Amino acid sequence: MALGKHGGQAKPTDTAATLACRGYSSKRGKTTELAEKWFKYCRAEIRVDRDIKFGREELAHYYFAQAVFTFEGDHWNTYRTGLFDRLQGSQNKDGSWPASDGISVGPVYSTAMWCTILQLDKRSHPSMARHP
């Protein structure tokens, strides 16, 4: 687990953000023992089953999905299947996702975050933008 700035244990969102932003990728040969430990921690804490808390966990999934996508193995397929099934089952009739169960800024934010995550599957996520 990543350490917080005061030496305490960080939250899963912070750890997932570190994995995503630092570019720890087993596909690129950059995985370290510490990155593997953080990945396992996030996988245990950031759930894709019925325990997703809409309105609270969008940011954690935003970062963790990017980390999962870059790790070798079947991690992405497992995560993707569970998450996409859960998202499809929770989507409102107007296409948005709920945000009322938490502290989110609203359904527009929640929907934007989930849609951005869904873009990973087609490699059109903003983090994959190609620069000239």
Side-chain angles (χ1 to χ4, degrees), residues 2 10-24 38-39 41-42 46 58-68 70 127:
K11 295 180 181 180
T13 303
D14 300 329
T15 306
T18 300
L19 287 170
C21 294
R22 292 293 306 259
Y24 291 111
W38 289 349
F39 184 79
Y41 166 69
C42 288
I46 301 172
E58 289 84 355
L59 191 60
H61 282 280
Y62 174 80
Y63 287 120
F64 187 55
Q66 293 173 68
V68 172
T70 62
S127 69

Side-chain angles (χ1 to χ4, degrees), residues 123-132:
R123 296 187 176 274
S124 60
H125 188 275
S127 69
M128 297 177 180
R130 296 183 187 216
H131 302 286

Side-chain angles (χ1 to χ4, degrees), residues 39-50:
F39 184 79
K40 288 177 185 175
Y41 166 69
C42 288
R43 194 173 55 201
E45 296 293 322
I46 301 172
R47 307 294 305 263
V48 296
D49 54 16
R50 290 185 208 164

Side-chain angles (χ1 to χ4, degrees), residues 79-105:
Y79 176 82
R80 177 199 176 281
T81 300
L83 181 65
F84 286 25
D85 288 349
R86 180 71 171 113
L87 290 176
Q88 185 176 17
S90 302
Q91 197 169 16
N92 295 323
K93 291 184 188 285
D94 67 358
S96 67
W97 278 276
S100 60
D101 291 344
I103 57 174
S104 172
V105 294

